[in-house]
Each structure stands twice: as structure tokens, then as C-alpha cells.
Amino acid sequence: EAGVTQFPSHSVIEKGQTVTLRCDPISGHDNLYWYRRVMGKEIKFLLHFVKESKQDESGMPNNRFLAERTGGTYSTLKVQPAELEDSGVYFCASSQDLPGQGARSPLHFGNGTRLTVT
Amino acid sequence: GDSVTQMEGPVTLSEEAFLTINCTYTATGYPSLFWYVQYPGEGLQLLLKATKADDKGSNKGFEATYRKETTSFHLEKGSVQVSDSAVYFCALKGRGSTLGRLYFGRGTQLTVWP
């Protein structure tokens, strides 16, 4: 099966510009997550979609970040306007809850998008 | 709140050396614990996991034991290979947390020289 795919792999933009990251989860996976790793720091949770609905967006840093998942398939994460501190690697992950596995459903991660804001 | 602390890197070893990467956690209750690995140019991959105290996760020669008394989940491998060069992340999922919401450490870069 195809894995989680993220586009672009790299993006370099200037402060104040807008960038949109895209994530295509594994087909049939209802759960989609965005994470971010700022250079040298922890990978931090941003938000979680179940199909097209935001289940948990408590990790979104501020209102310059907007995530969508129209139709419950792919997701986009827009940063507008970008700031220097937004630089980092943005990971997307997906999973499918399986009967009886509960909390043990594995996450499948994409390769990430490296965002550099100059 | 829930958090993970792992040893600072980078770690540089010769092939066949013994590896330990320390990981300790803070969480209420009994979290599930994980080690993820990121090889160059790739995404995060689950390396191993443990869901309850005294469980030992193992995969590809790596092992980690869930130690509740020391709140630790140290990663070990008896003989590393060049192909093990990667970034290793310790992570936890808190009991009752949103499914898939993980708390990660900062990652430890491992480089193995032939």
C-alpha cells in the first residue's frame, strides 16, 4: 500500500508570505495528525482529524495556522503569514482504528515537509 | 503534564559497539511507551513499543524495557551497524489521551562508523 505522502518535501519562504503544506494519508485511514519539530526540539502534536472533523486542535500554536481536511481525505496546513519561528519539519501521520486494538493502533508517518522561513 | 526526556546527542559509535540511549518520562497513570526511528530522508517509523510495566519491546536487535519504578524506557542494542545511523525518538501516549496523540523527546542522532 502507498504510505503517507507529504508535499512539498522542502519549502523556503520569506517572512510574511503564505505557505500551504499538504498531506495524503493512507487510503481508508480516518485519523490524520499533524506534528511539528522545531530545530533541535521535541516533535510536538498540532492537531488531529477524524475524517473531516477536528477532534483535537489544542496543539495549534496560534491563529496563523489553519488546517483543513475537506471530504475527509487529504489535509492541508496553511501558515499565513509565516514567521521565522515557524521554521521546522512538519510531519503528518495517519491511522485506522481497528476493532479490539484501541490505543494500540499504529501511526504511519510521512517523510515530513521541511519549512524554512527567512 | 506528560513529557519525555531523552539523552542529548549526537552519539557516535564504531560498528559492533554497544548502544544505550536513555529515556525517562513523566506521566499520570500508566502510559504506553514507544521508540521511533527516522532514517535519513525518510519519515518516522515505529521501532518498538511497550504498553505496560515490565514489558520489553524488541525489534531489529533493539530492546527497551518499561520500568515503572524508574519511569524509564532506555533503548539498547548489543552490536550496532552502520545501517543503524538515524535519529531515535522516545515517545509516550498518556492513558486516556487522544488516540494517536504522542509526546516525543528531542531525538538522539546516532552515527555508526565502520
Side-chain angles (χ1 to χ4, degrees):
Chain A
E1 66 179 3
V4 176
T5 308
Q6 293 188 242
F7 304 96
S9 57
H10 293 84
S11 181
V12 180
I13 61 172
E14 293 183 353
K15 176 182 172 181
Q17 290 185 322
T18 298
V19 62
T20 300
L21 313 181
R22 172 169 168 149
C23 169
D24 286 71
I26 292 173
S27 178
H29 281 196
D30 289 338
N31 297 286
L32 187 149
Y33 309 84
W34 284 98
Y35 283 82
R36 175 175 76 168
R37 186 188 189 204
V38 173
M39 183 61 70
K41 297 197 173 181
E42 303 87 350
I43 299 173
K44 287 193 173 181
F45 168 84
L46 296 179
L47 88 161
H48 170 208
F49 283 100
V50 177
K51 297 184 180 178
E52 68 275 10
S53 300
K54 292 176 184 175
Q55 179 77 12
D56 180 357
E57 54 182 329
S58 61
M60 295 288 264
N62 53 61
N63 60 10
R64 295 185 292 102
F65 289 75
L66 175 65
E68 295 180 321
R69 192 183 182 194
T70 306
T73 54
Y74 71 90
S75 174
T76 58
L77 179 64
K78 179 190 290 188
V79 185
Q80 179 182 28
E83 298 289 345
L84 298 179
E85 64 265 25
D86 300 332
S87 296
V89 181
Y90 290 76
F91 292 101
C92 176
S94 71
S95 72
Q96 179 63 304
D97 297 336
L98 301 176
Q101 290 204 12
R104 291 180 291 278
S105 301
L107 288 182
H108 298 261
F109 280 85
N111 288 1
T113 294
R114 180 174 296 278
L115 174 64
T116 302
V117 183
T118 63
Chain B
D2 295 348
S3 66
V4 171
T5 302
Q6 65 182 100
M7 65 183 283
E8 297 282 331
V11 174
T12 303
L13 295 172
S14 298
E15 207 165 25
E16 299 183 4
F18 183 85
L19 168 71
T20 300
I21 301 178
N22 290 338
C23 172
T24 57
Y25 67 88
T26 300
T28 54
Y30 300 92
S32 296
L33 301 173
F34 308 84
W35 277 99
Y36 279 83
V37 58
Q38 184 181 20
Y39 297 104
E42 299 184 13
L44 291 164
Q45 301 175 24
L46 178 64
L47 180 60
L48 53 84
K49 64 180 181 181
T51 57
K52 62 182 186 295
D54 299 325
D55 267 2
K56 178 185 284 187
S58 61
N59 186 25
K60 299 182 180 181
F62 291 89
E63 293 184 339
T65 301
Y66 187 144
R67 300 286 188 199
K68 182 177 181 299
E69 62 277 12
T70 54
T71 61
S72 65
F73 193 55
H74 305 322
L75 182 68
E76 296 182 336
K77 186 173 185 181
S79 177
V80 294
Q81 305 300 312
V82 172
S83 57
D84 294 327
S85 298
V87 182
Y88 293 81
F89 294 91
C90 186
L92 73 81
K93 189 193 85 66
R95 189 174 180 82
S97 289
T98 301
L99 197 69
R101 178 167 185 167
L102 299 177
Y103 294 84
F104 286 90
R106 294 192 172 199
T108 302
Q109 172 76 55
L110 170 66
T111 301
V112 181
W113 296 100

